[in-house]
Amino acid sequence: MGRLFGTDGVRGIAGSELTAELATNIGRAAAIVLTKHTHHKPVFLIGKDTRISGDMLESALAAGLCSVGADVKTAGVVPTPAIAYLVGKYGCDAGVVISASHNPMEFNGIKIFSGEGYKLPDAVEEEIEALILDTPEKLVNVTGDEMGRVSHIDTRARDYVEHLKTACDADLRGMKVLFDCANGASSVTAPSLFTELGIKADFIGCEPDGTNINRNCGSTHLGNLARLVKEGDYDCGFAFDGDADRCLAVDENGDEIDGDKIIAILATRMKKESRLKNDTAVATVMSNLGFMKHMTKRGINVVTTAVGDRYVLEEMRAKGYNLGGEQSGHVILSDFATTGDGELTALSLLNYFAKETDKKVSGFNGCYSKFPQVLINIKTTAEGKRAFKTDEYIEGFIESKQQQLMGMGRVLVRLSGTEPLIRVMVEGEDEDMITNVANEIRDKIRDRLC
């Protein structure tokens, strides 16, 4: 990770860490770096989620872009994957999304897409941040008629919905489904998309007020969705996060279908239809051991990457794979999208379920049993995260805990790329043992670094 950019763009508390000044400079630097080889006036497309700080950061970004000669098209509130798609449809040089995804309201973020709809590689992000932090004198403003202009695109939601509808070839009429839009960006697209496809669809988390995004709703809080699906006799339910680039589901009993299960279900179907390239899916090191064993039994290879959907996508592009994702619900279907897309994921699953009319969704969810997994988030500071990287005692302690599991499990301790957290994951067959190991690691890290 760089000094500004993490695994999913620049992120921080809006107003104190992610300021208007920083957003302006990100706009200025991004325009200079991404368009230095073009010979035309560059055009940037900006979208945002429903956070109250989005307006401030959008204005600052647009000001920075225009100040160095780039034109700006604003799309307003729209899912992250919509920008990844629309940047190509509208012929823009790059796209910018203002969102902190699943994080609480006080956070916000800035992530940048190329003109092809892909997140920027590390090297390009490092070039942008070096321009901001090391050589700010190169951020030179233009004057006169070289200055950029701002315009707004009113059709962005409709264009994206029509695009997604082409991914469905099954009859979804009669399915009864509940959707949780997290009071986020999907609230402007999901109701149109799923009702127009004939689903008996109901929606919660569709009343954003600028401060309630992800609050006790969406993919990070499945409890309410699970309860309502079971009580309301729905076939299943889907939950998106704040910017709708991830999706989790529940079956008719309210039981969770996480990202691993989603990938397993889709991979099995795609392999059966000879659509799974190289019979391979890409996952991260966080994927459950039960998932790994299930995929092997189905003759499906699994390639693992570091945590972060950007690394999943990089592996997919490098090797020509067309399915990948994360346990957290980022699922990339690269035959149709250049990034994780929660609404596309839900649509793909419904497309599959509708073709298997003799099977309830719980039948798909029961495809394998997960190994017990304990996840602990340890709050820390930027200094604590830096110290963790070089603390040999902590490194040795973690290794000793891995040895204690004696081949019956695994330990993964990593820095969050999006929040001030150290994440501890312990997985194995013996739940009591892995719980004790996770707690011991947590206590040791807190004693030394927090």
Side-chain angles (χ1 to χ4, degrees):
M1 289 182 289
R3 293 168 289 172
L4 292 177
F5 288 86
T7 56
D8 200 22
V10 179
R11 195 168 294 189
I13 296 175
S16 61
E17 297 170 340
L18 184 52
T19 63
E21 292 80 5
L22 178 56
T24 299
N25 283 333
I26 290 172
R28 296 167 77 197
I32 291 170
V33 169
L34 294 178
T35 63
K36 61 185 177 182
H37 299 303
T38 63
H39 301 286
H40 61 268
K41 196 176 187 68
V43 180
F44 280 67
L45 178 65
I46 301 179
K48 60 187 176 183
D49 67 21
T50 57
R51 292 164 212 270
I52 194 171
S53 58
D55 292 346
M56 177 267 290
L57 293 171
E58 177 188 58
S59 298
L61 264 170
L65 289 162
C66 290
S67 73
V68 294
D71 284 340
V72 173
K73 295 181 184 293
T74 59
V77 174
V78 72
T80 285
I83 292 296
Y85 164 68
L86 295 172
V87 70
K89 179 177 177 62
Y90 299 152
C92 299
D93 294 280
V96 186
V97 177
I98 302 166
S99 173
S101 190
H102 62 285
N103 290 164
M105 174 275 296
E106 61 268 23
F107 288 84
N108 216 326
I110 295 172
K111 44 191 169 186
I112 306 172
F113 290 86
S114 70
E116 291 75 40
Y118 293 103
K119 290 181 181 179
L120 300 183
D122 290 345
V124 177
E125 289 185 341
E126 289 167 3
E127 188 176 356
I128 291 171
E129 67 182 28
L131 193 55
I132 296 169
L133 299 176
D134 300 332
T135 57
E137 67 277 3
K138 294 182 179 180
L139 300 175
V140 179
N141 294 339
V142 300
T143 59
D145 62 2
E146 292 183 2
M147 211 165 287
R149 298 175 183 269
V150 178
S151 60
H152 184 70
I153 298 177
D154 294 320
T155 61
R156 82 284 183 192
R158 172 48 49 189
D159 291 340
Y160 175 60
V161 167
E162 291 300 325
H163 167 65
L164 288 183
K165 285 164 70 174
T166 65
C168 180
D169 62 359
D171 185 356
L172 305 185
R173 290 175 296 177
M175 297 192 75
K176 186 180 179 183
V177 185
L178 183 62
F179 297 90
D180 184 345
C181 295
N183 290 315
S186 62
S187 62
V188 303
T189 53
S192 297
L193 171 65
F194 295 109
T195 56
E196 289 173 16
L197 288 169
I199 297 170
K200 295 178 181 178
D202 291 315
F203 300 87
I204 58 176
C206 268
E207 297 180 356
D209 63 9
T211 65
N212 62 358
I213 187 171
N214 298 318
R215 185 196 298 161
N216 299 320
C217 60
S219 62
T220 53
H221 299 87
L222 289 178
N224 191 42
L225 176 70
R227 177 180 60 82
L228 292 173
V229 165
K230 189 174 181 179
E231 291 177 355
D233 196 29
Y234 290 92
D235 294 314
C236 57
F238 293 92
F240 309 116
D241 65 340
D243 68 335
D245 66 349
R246 71 169 72 182
C247 165
L248 294 179
V250 297
D251 63 24
E252 75 277 6
N253 299 317
D255 295 328
E256 179 182 354
I257 307 174
D258 68 9
D260 284 348
K261 286 278 183 77
I262 291 171
I263 294 169
I265 292 167
L266 293 176
T268 301
R269 180 71 180 191
M270 291 170 68
K271 185 178 189 303
K272 181 179 179 181
E273 297 175 348
S274 300
R275 294 189 296 111
L276 185 65
K277 293 182 179 177
N278 300 315
D279 288 340
T280 298
V282 182
T284 76
V285 292
M286 287 292 290
S287 284
N288 193 273
L289 291 173
F291 162 80
M292 298 294 187
K293 290 188 174 182
H294 170 79
M295 298 290 268
T296 298
K297 289 180 181 178
R298 295 297 181 276
I300 299 170
N301 304 312
V302 178
V303 175
T304 57
T305 73
V307 175
D309 63 313
R310 63 184 299 157
Y311 303 118
V312 172
L313 182 58
E314 285 174 4
E315 182 69 17
M316 292 172 66
R317 294 183 70 191
K319 303 293 176 56
Y321 306 133
N322 62 343
L323 175 64
E326 298 186 279
Q327 190 182 66
S328 60
H330 282 117
V331 177
I332 303 170
L333 293 148
S334 63
D335 289 336
F336 204 80
T338 56
T339 190
D341 189 324
E343 290 170 86
L344 174 62
T345 300
L347 185 58
S348 299
L349 284 172
L350 289 170
N351 203 42
Y352 182 9
F353 297 157
K355 294 177 179 179
E356 301 286 341
T357 55
D358 61 336
K359 193 174 184 180
K360 290 187 175 182
V361 174
S362 57
F364 297 97
N365 194 18
C367 58
Y368 68 85
S369 296
K370 297 169 61 175
F371 275 44
Q373 193 176 74
V374 176
L375 300 170
I376 298 177
N377 291 324
I378 306 168
K379 290 186 178 181
T380 187
T381 62
E383 292 76 15
K385 291 174 80 170
R386 284 193 292 270
F388 172 79
K389 294 179 181 179
T390 58
D391 194 312
E392 294 182 358
Y393 180 85
I394 291 292
E395 181 181 357
F397 185 80
I398 292 170
E399 177 60 29
S400 73
K401 295 294 107 176
Q402 176 67 71
Q403 295 299 323
Q404 183 181 328
L405 294 177
M406 298 177 292
M408 296 183 296
R410 64 189 180 116
V411 176
L412 177 64
V413 184
R414 66 182 184 87
L415 299 174
S416 169
T418 59
E419 298 177 82
L421 299 172
I422 298 172
R423 302 191 190 276
V424 178
M425 188 277 283
V426 185
E427 183 178 74
E429 297 181 15
D430 187 327
E431 190 161 6
D432 289 338
M433 178 182 285
I434 65 172
T435 299
N436 290 335
V437 167
N439 288 337
E440 289 173 5
I441 294 172
R442 175 202 61 199
D443 293 343
K444 188 64 66 176
I445 291 174
R446 282 179 176 170
D447 288 346
R448 289 185 64 84
L449 303 179
C450 301

